[in-house]
Amino acid sequence: MEERVFKRKFYSKMLQWKDERQGSTALLIKGARRVGKSTIAEQFAQNEYTSYILIDFTECPQEVKDLFNDISNLDAIFLRLQFLYNTVLTPRQSVIIFDEVQFCPLARQAIKKLVKDHRYDYIETGSLLSIKKYTKGIRIPSEETRLTLYPMDYEEFRWAMGDTVTMPMLRSAFESRMSLGDGVVRKMMGDFRLYMLVGGMPQAVNAYLNTNNLSLVDSVKREIIELYADDFRKIDPTGRATRMFYAIPAQLNKNASRYKVASVIEDGKIDRLAEIVQDMEDSKAVLISHHANDPNIGLSLHQDTEQFKMFVNDTGLFITMAFWDKDHTENIIYQKLLADKLSADLGYVFENMVAQMLKTSGNELFYHTWLNETSKHNYEVDFLVSRGNKICPIEVKSSGYKTHASLDAFCKKFSSRINNRYLVYTKDLRKDAETLLVPIFMTDCL
């Protein structure tokens, strides 16, 4: 089966690090498992340096790890590495990759001295959750530029499908507020539903391109989900983190104003589970959206740490989790989802998708709920993003349904704080009074 290396936007961030830092920091690539950290690190090393050494600390010989027990003689360490990996390193033209650096904490601690030596560049990869676990007893280097790699976004997925045209055209249409027409929207929604089903995990995308079989793609996604579940069992042997992870689709399907921990874990109180929730967020396998008690610029200043929603980092994984009661998700279910023929209410899938797209675009996730004291009606705005000195509320619909009572009530209540207001749905780009109705495949443009 062909293994592809996909084009990723993250590559340009790595170039910026190399050009601006000039070896004054190591690059630490964080991210959930299977998002492509090791692949992009090696791709970058091959393309941007004359030579490189990749040390995979999950499988390297013990003698390689032992080199970092005493780093007083760097000349000897570099000579040994060149012999062991049969590679000649050239000062300021070579890079050393510490892959899964969490499994050799002393190598990470050595970064301070290695960077100061300035002979070579250094790239580290690792899961933030594992890195946190394996940093006890070592000095964390400050000489690191830390960047997070997420699953492939929609434009990267289109690139993988051989399409470099769609997203630039969609951005142009969004900026000019130009209607696309119903026929174009139907085609774009079909393409976008495929992205929702396959997801942005490189292994899943590769499996789809190789087989065009969504059931086989589903098997790949299940393997990744089980890896995440195993990681959660390691940080919390009681299994609470794992149960909370698997319960995400059910929690969102309830359309509640928050993740109700007590309905998943007996006697579960969020104040007792705060560290577990933080660890889950640090894993990057889940995304947390916090309630903004006073929605204003500086949303993080007003977040409620005990009232939150939880999403899966990749909507392709999310859909597989939603059908976890079967040992595999049948192709007929995928085909119905792809054709928008499944009778189940998929609002929660769209909400997860928008959360993923906003997060990947660099936004922190916040939402707001409130009770109208006069009408006793509960309102909720699904997402809030800050733009300049204002905020933009976003409401998500899983259909062409265009009413937006919560959005209108929110904008009336906080009128002086509002920049733009958006309804994300499945139909064409258009204005409805002050609200811009945006097809979900344009979410990256917000």
Side-chain angles (χ1 to χ4, degrees):
M1 184 176 291
E2 182 182 354
E3 292 292 336
R4 299 169 178 81
V5 176
F6 297 109
K7 180 181 177 182
R8 304 295 301 272
K9 296 176 183 177
F10 192 84
Y11 196 99
S12 63
K13 295 181 180 180
M14 298 177 74
L15 279 175
Q16 184 178 3
W17 161 77
K18 184 176 186 290
D19 294 341
E20 292 181 355
R21 297 307 179 107
Q22 294 291 316
S24 63
T25 65
L27 174 63
L28 174 60
I29 305 175
K30 306 178 297 181
R33 297 234 262 169
R34 301 294 178 89
V35 295
K37 301 184 296 296
S38 302
T39 299
I40 200 168
E42 186 166 17
Q43 180 192 24
F44 187 80
Q46 290 171 343
N47 294 344
E48 307 301 333
Y49 295 89
T50 58
S51 65
Y52 71 96
I53 289 175
L54 188 154
I55 305 173
D56 183 348
F57 285 115
T58 64
E59 58 183 34
C60 70
Q62 186 60 42
E63 63 180 308
V64 174
K65 293 183 179 181
D66 290 343
L67 291 175
F68 299 97
N69 294 339
D70 179 1
I71 59 171
S72 59
N73 188 345
L74 291 182
D75 290 338
I77 291 175
F78 294 140
L79 184 62
R80 291 283 302 280
L81 285 174
Q82 290 175 90
F83 272 117
L84 288 166
Y85 287 90
N86 194 29
T87 299
V88 175
L89 296 174
T90 305
R92 300 308 320 137
Q93 296 180 41
S94 298
V95 61
I96 300 175
I97 301 171
F98 291 167
D99 197 20
E100 302 293 354
V101 69
Q102 68 270 18
F103 294 109
C104 187
L106 290 178
R108 188 178 181 210
Q109 181 173 264
I111 285 294
K112 181 178 181 68
K113 184 169 183 175
L114 294 172
V115 166
K116 185 177 180 181
D117 173 75
H118 204 59
R119 254 178 280 189
Y120 313 115
D121 283 357
Y122 299 90
I123 298 174
E124 307 164 86
T125 77
S127 159
L128 185 61
L129 185 60
S130 297
I131 287 173
K132 179 179 177 181
K133 178 181 177 182
Y134 289 101
T135 52
K136 294 178 181 178
I138 72 165
R139 178 172 295 178
I140 306 301
S142 58
E143 296 78 8
E144 287 178 334
T145 297
R146 303 174 187 180
L147 298 174
T148 301
L149 179 63
Y150 292 100
M152 296 167 67
D153 69 13
Y154 184 48
E155 184 167 23
E156 291 169 333
F157 181 80
R158 295 310 312 162
W159 290 342
M161 298 296 113
D163 173 12
T164 60
V165 175
T166 294
M167 285 309 297
M169 290 196 303
L170 289 179
R171 289 193 191 96
S172 178
F174 180 84
E175 289 166 5
S176 62
R177 303 297 192 259
M178 184 180 71
S179 172
L180 300 175
D182 291 343
V184 172
V185 170
R186 279 194 297 272
K187 180 185 182 303
M188 292 294 101
M189 280 304 305
D191 291 343
F192 188 76
R193 278 194 292 270
L194 178 63
Y195 172 58
M196 293 173 69
L197 295 173
V198 174
M201 290 295 178
Q203 280 183 303
V205 177
N206 191 69
Y208 176 75
L209 290 172
N210 281 331
T211 67
N212 200 33
N213 186 315
L214 289 168
S215 286
L216 294 178
V217 173
D218 186 75
S219 297
V220 172
K221 291 190 292 179
R222 285 174 184 268
E223 291 173 2
I224 297 172
I225 291 165
E226 287 170 354
L227 278 176
Y228 288 174
D230 288 342
D231 284 344
F232 289 137
R233 290 186 189 99
K234 291 175 184 176
I235 66 167
D236 176 37
T238 68
R240 292 172 297 179
T242 304
R243 291 202 299 275
M244 290 177 66
F245 174 60
Y246 278 124
I248 291 174
Q251 286 287 312
L252 289 178
N253 191 36
K254 291 177 180 177
N255 200 28
S257 62
R258 68 184 185 280
Y259 189 108
K260 294 184 177 180
V261 177
S263 68
V264 179
I265 299 171
E266 188 177 351
D267 297 327
K269 292 187 177 180
I270 186 56
D271 56 341
R272 299 175 186 169
L273 299 171
E275 185 175 353
I276 289 177
V277 173
Q278 184 61 58
D279 283 342
M280 293 179 72
E281 185 173 17
D282 286 346
S283 75
K284 304 302 179 185
V286 303
L287 308 174
I288 302 292
S289 178
H290 286 285
H291 189 273
N293 292 336
D294 181 23
N296 207 339
I297 56 169
L299 287 163
S300 59
L301 298 175
H302 310 287
Q303 73 177 27
D304 186 339
T305 57
E306 296 188 2
Q307 187 173 351
F308 61 88
K309 290 187 174 185
M310 190 179 292
F311 303 94
V312 182
N313 68 343
D314 178 75
T315 302
L317 299 183
F318 178 92
I319 288 175
T320 295
M321 291 170 66
F323 293 98
W324 201 256
D325 57 319
K326 305 169 75 71
D327 60 5
H328 71 282
T329 306
E330 297 170 356
N331 240 334
I332 187 63
I333 294 177
Y334 273 117
Q335 293 301 333
K336 286 186 175 183
L337 282 166
L338 190 58
D340 198 22
K341 300 294 186 182
L342 201 64
S343 59
D345 178 16
L346 296 181
Y348 59 106
V349 178
F350 278 69
E351 191 175 351
N352 197 98
M353 187 75 259
V354 173
Q356 178 187 341
M357 295 177 81
L358 290 174
K359 184 69 175 181
T360 305
S361 299
N363 301 282
E364 294 302 318
L365 302 179
F366 299 94
Y367 71 104
H368 183 70
T369 62
W370 75 102
L371 173 67
N372 184 305
E373 295 294 344
T374 302
S375 64
K376 302 301 180 183
H377 182 77
N378 287 304
Y379 289 104
E380 176 177 329
V381 171
D382 296 312
F383 297 101
L384 301 169
V385 295
S386 58
R387 296 289 183 266
N389 62 350
K390 301 281 187 176
I391 58 174
C392 300
I394 302 170
E395 191 168 344
V396 181
K397 300 287 187 183
S398 61
S399 65
Y401 195 57
K402 295 181 291 185
T403 60
H404 36 83
S406 291
L407 200 59
D408 293 339
F410 180 89
C411 292
K412 181 178 180 180
K413 183 177 182 181
F414 300 105
S415 58
S416 63
R417 306 177 184 182
I418 305 301
N419 185 346
N420 296 313
R421 60 188 74 174
Y422 302 108
L423 174 75
V424 174
Y425 74 149
T426 62
K427 298 299 181 181
D428 203 355
L429 182 71
R430 57 171 59 95
K431 286 291 293 284
D432 182 13
E434 298 300 313
T435 300
L436 185 63
L437 311 182
V438 182
I440 188 170
F441 50 79
M442 281 185 168
T443 300
D444 283 340
C445 301
L446 302 184

